[in-house]
Amino acid sequence: MFVRVDEKPKRRWRWATPMLVLVCMGMAVWQALAAPAARYALLQSWGTIPAELRLDPSALLGGSGLRLFSALFVHADWTHLFGNLLFLGLFGAGVERTLGSLRFLFLFLIAGAAANLFAALMSPLVNVPIIGSSGAVSALIGAYVLLYPRSHLGVILPLGLYFQLVRVPAIHLIAIWLLFQVLETLGTRSGAIAWWAHVFGFVNGIVLALTLRPWLYRRDARLL
């Protein structure tokens, strides 16, 4: 007689988020150790140059297209880097846990490259390279909203000499963040920060995560 014994599902190691953090950190150290001339050359060769894409759209099939992806791993300074890594760790882990590492990496790269392209087409500084993973991280925030609409995040509030941890609906905090991005997009004229990439990345993350939801439903059905 055969008896079915339900085994406890094994927890899979999620490798994409730690890998992205290590790659970005490694690139930042490389930039810091390089001479100023070499650092400038690195930004030009890895970053997305808007003028190249506007003058020759076919450049997307060559090196300019590849730089839409390589630009995701180069940052202007440590503040730029740590801000992106903070949001990557905060929202990326949950999205990767739901989508799986490969689909998570696909979303990060495709949404990030698309955000860089959109920012390149909108930027008034056509010869200044667009760098950073802000567009990709914004896409992860958008995917997080779709996948975890009822989740809560802890916020530390300073109360004099003490600190209070308060649980706030994540969608409320993300709404405030998105409003700030939109206001900066409409109000900034210098183009030093590609705010368009943040807003476009957020919307693109929702769309890409939405296309993966049928797959999520089929996966959950197989686990029942």
Side-chain angles (χ1 to χ4, degrees), residues 72 84 91 95 104 106-120 122 130 132-146 174 177-178 181-182 185 194-210:
L72 299 173
N84 281 335
F91 297 102
V95 175
F104 168 87
F106 172 83
L107 186 148
F108 181 92
L109 294 175
I110 298 301
N116 285 343
L117 175 60
F118 186 79
M122 299 296 297
I130 294 174
S133 56
S134 301
V137 172
S138 298
L140 297 181
I141 298 176
Y144 186 92
V145 169
L146 184 74
I174 294 174
W177 170 85
L178 181 61
Q181 308 305 308
V182 172
T185 300
W195 297 104
W196 281 109
H198 303 185
V199 177
F200 182 82
F202 178 83
V203 176
N204 201 20
I206 293 178
V207 173
L208 287 177
L210 189 62

Side-chain angles (χ1 to χ4, degrees), residues 45-113:
S45 60
W46 283 60
T48 298
I49 309 298
E52 295 180 359
L53 299 176
R54 294 182 183 182
L55 295 176
D56 184 14
S58 64
L60 283 173
L61 302 178
S64 297
L66 293 178
R67 284 196 288 273
L68 292 174
F69 297 94
S70 62
L72 299 173
F73 304 101
V74 183
H75 291 79
D77 51 41
W78 292 101
T79 302
H80 187 202
L81 172 67
F82 287 136
N84 281 335
L85 293 187
L86 174 63
F87 282 91
L88 173 60
L90 185 61
F91 297 102
V95 175
E96 183 179 3
R97 184 169 60 250
T98 300
L99 298 183
S101 297
L102 287 177
R103 289 177 176 84
F104 168 87
L105 188 60
F106 172 83
L107 186 148
F108 181 92
L109 294 175
I110 298 301

Side-chain angles (χ1 to χ4, degrees), residues 98 213-224:
T98 300
R213 291 193 71 171
W215 169 82
L216 291 175
Y217 292 145
R218 291 194 297 270
R219 185 199 63 177
D220 293 340
R222 290 196 300 268
L223 293 178
L224 297 177

Side-chain angles (χ1 to χ4, degrees), residues 106-177:
F106 172 83
L107 186 148
F108 181 92
L109 294 175
I110 298 301
N116 285 343
L117 175 60
F118 186 79
L121 297 177
M122 299 296 297
S123 176
L125 306 177
V126 296
N127 293 313
V128 176
I130 294 174
I131 57 174
S133 56
S134 301
V137 172
S138 298
L140 297 181
I141 298 176
Y144 186 92
V145 169
L146 184 74
L147 299 174
Y148 301 98
R150 298 181 180 179
S151 65
H152 288 69
L153 295 175
V155 177
I156 299 179
L157 299 178
L159 300 176
L161 299 177
Y162 302 95
F163 294 91
Q164 178 68 41
L165 179 64
V166 179
R167 289 175 56 84
V168 181
I171 196 169
H172 292 174
L173 297 177
I174 294 174
I176 296 175
W177 170 85

